[in-house]
Amino acid sequence: MYNLFTGSGVGPCILYLALSIFLGLLLGKIKIAKISLGITWVLFVGIIISALGVTLNAQMLHIIKEFGLILFVTAVGLQVGPTFFNSFKKGGLAMNLMALTNVALGVLITYIIAKVANQSLTDMAGVYTGAITNTPGLSAAQQAVTDAGDPDAANRLAAGYAVAYPLAVVGMIMTCIVLRPLCRIDMKSEPVHEDTLEAPAPKTATSTSQRHKINLVPIFVIIALGIVLGSIPIPVGMAAPVKLGLAGGPLVAALIGSWLGVKKGWFTTEFTDSHGVWMLREVGIALFLAGVGLGAGGVFVETVKIHYMWVLYGVIITIVPPMIVATFGRLVLKINYYTLMGFIGGSHTDPPTLAFANNIAPDGCKLPNTGYATVYPLTMFLRIFTAQLLVLLAM
């Protein structure tokens, strides 16, 4: 009977994806001290199922995971695109400088840990990509070591990533939570909208029937263009070129496409802010988290047994930089808390943090999405670049 629910076929893969999402969403409703991890539970349910010995088709899980991430970032880009460039002019420069500082601190801490703890910098590069939840960075680092003639290092990079990733998701959310008492943030008085970062986009009149429909044509045109954009190699004089990747490309295409589409009248803000786009975002992040969890459970348990200190190193890399930078952003730059949560997620390219921020933000508040999308493109480029830099420094 057990064999009916395992194997490399389509059925078992879909079954456990659905089970992970279903149970994860149920657990996400549980609140402890008025705090819930929300959809992040999907990741942990997937890890538990995988750790119990359920083995699924790795290639199929990879495709589903990547497609889920593409749907998620495309939806985010569509939602914030109409106001993105205006927000960048009014507050995005400061946040991107903060993101640059955050990346630099993460790389510096990784390098220091490798030297002080006498760890391989290549192994720590894997922990680094997991601690910043950046799969494209991992892929770029693996390609760099393979091109440099050390294919075995690619497996060590993957092991470090798998160990650091799960707690990195929790660490980002905990950073958002700890920031409240640390900066004395009163959620009841925190503005839901902030003129310095977001200006209302003009809305075009539309019929009631149109408001309940979602036009799939521009969505998949944007995804296709985004995949092409993300695949363009950018030579940087290293063993492998830098790319925006499967996440960065569609996000940039969605930002530009939705901004230009609303400006030119090709579609309305009722489309970019519709329930259909919102559902696309939620389905995408659920598939992504379930895919990561179901693919990482077995590796996670085995690697933790051998390299348990990597877990601690990953937590340090995850928490310390954003805690420093976000505290500065709140106390010195007076950035809105909802925007700051989005910034924390975007500066670590971490969709679950954005999902958490949107979950606790009031209805209609787009500030988490704006903060996330404002720093995500630059951060994605920097994370991919620095992951390669770390492994090349080790050679």
Side-chain angles (χ1 to χ4, degrees):
M1 185 68 177
Y2 179 75
N3 291 334
L4 294 176
F5 300 99
T6 60
S8 58
V10 175
C13 189
I14 300 299
L15 170 66
Y16 287 109
L17 280 167
L19 188 62
S20 298
I21 295 171
F22 166 68
L23 293 177
L25 292 177
L26 282 182
L27 291 172
K29 296 180 181 297
I30 299 174
K31 293 184 178 181
I32 300 176
K34 297 183 178 180
I35 295 172
S36 169
L37 294 181
I39 200 169
T40 307
W41 272 108
V42 173
L43 170 69
F44 295 112
V45 172
I47 288 176
I48 292 171
I49 291 174
S50 178
L52 289 174
V54 174
T55 303
L56 302 172
N57 188 304
Q59 189 173 14
M60 192 177 301
L61 279 179
H62 179 73
I63 292 173
I64 292 172
K65 179 185 70 175
E66 294 297 337
F67 186 61
L69 183 58
I70 289 169
L71 291 179
F72 175 80
V73 298
T74 300
V76 169
L78 285 170
Q79 288 177 324
V80 304
T83 57
F84 172 74
F85 292 98
N86 182 64
S87 70
F88 187 84
K89 288 188 292 185
K90 294 188 175 183
L93 179 60
M95 285 203 296
N96 273 283
L97 289 174
M98 288 168 55
L100 177 62
T101 303
N102 187 65
V103 172
L105 285 173
V107 174
L108 179 62
I109 290 172
T110 302
Y111 186 82
I112 291 173
I113 289 175
K115 295 301 178 182
V116 173
N118 195 28
Q119 295 286 320
S120 164
L121 189 56
T122 299
D123 293 344
M124 286 301 97
V127 174
Y128 168 77
T129 58
I132 60 174
T133 65
N134 193 276
T135 307
L138 171 66
S139 299
Q142 288 178 316
Q143 186 62 53
V145 295
T146 301
D147 292 344
D150 189 8
D152 291 337
N155 293 329
R156 303 206 313 272
L157 285 165
Y161 172 90
V163 167
Y165 188 102
L167 288 184
V169 174
V170 178
M172 287 293 94
I173 293 174
M174 292 307 300
T175 300
C176 294
I177 295 171
V178 171
L179 203 62
R180 295 182 205 171
L182 183 65
C183 297
R184 298 181 180 180
I185 296 171
D186 183 3
M187 296 291 288
K188 294 181 180 179
S189 62
E190 193 70 10
V192 177
H193 304 284
E194 191 171 19
D195 293 337
T196 57
L197 282 174
E198 182 174 21
K203 291 196 175 185
T204 306
T206 184
S207 68
T208 302
S209 61
Q210 286 177 319
R211 292 178 183 177
H212 295 282
K213 295 179 181 179
I214 179 170
N215 187 353
L216 294 177
V217 174
I219 290 177
F220 282 95
V221 168
I222 285 172
I223 288 176
L225 292 174
I227 297 299
V228 173
L229 179 63
S231 301
I232 298 174
I234 306 171
V236 290
M238 291 188 169
V242 174
K243 300 178 182 178
L244 285 175
L246 294 178
L251 176 65
V252 172
L255 288 171
I256 297 174
S258 61
W259 169 75
L260 194 61
V262 170
K263 186 177 181 180
K264 296 293 185 180
W266 298 336
F267 43 76
T268 68
T269 52
E270 276 81 6
F271 163 68
T272 61
D273 197 30
S274 66
H275 288 293
V277 172
W278 175 85
M279 186 172 181
L280 198 70
R281 187 189 75 189
E282 296 303 303
V283 170
I285 187 62
L287 289 174
F288 173 74
L289 291 175
V292 171
L294 289 170
V299 177
F300 175 79
V301 173
E302 290 302 317
T303 307
V304 167
K305 290 179 181 178
I306 302 172
H307 301 290
Y308 55 89
M309 287 300 295
W310 287 5
V311 178
L312 175 61
Y313 301 150
V315 170
I316 294 172
I317 297 168
T318 296
I319 293 178
V320 174
M323 188 64 73
I324 294 173
V325 175
T327 301
F328 173 85
R330 178 65 181 187
L331 298 181
V332 179
L333 301 181
K334 309 299 181 184
I335 296 177
N336 181 284
Y337 177 63
Y338 297 118
T339 303
L340 207 54
M341 285 194 292
F343 161 81
I344 291 172
S347 65
H348 275 241
T349 62
D350 184 42
T353 302
L354 177 59
F356 170 80
N358 281 320
N359 184 53
I360 67 172
D363 292 340
C365 179
K366 300 179 185 178
L367 294 180
N369 286 344
T370 301
Y372 184 91
T374 297
V375 299
Y376 189 101
L378 175 63
T379 299
M380 178 64 73
F381 177 85
L382 292 174
R383 295 301 191 186
I384 292 172
F385 177 80
T386 53
Q388 295 176 83
L389 178 63
L390 285 170
V391 295
L392 292 172
L393 286 174
M395 295 179 179

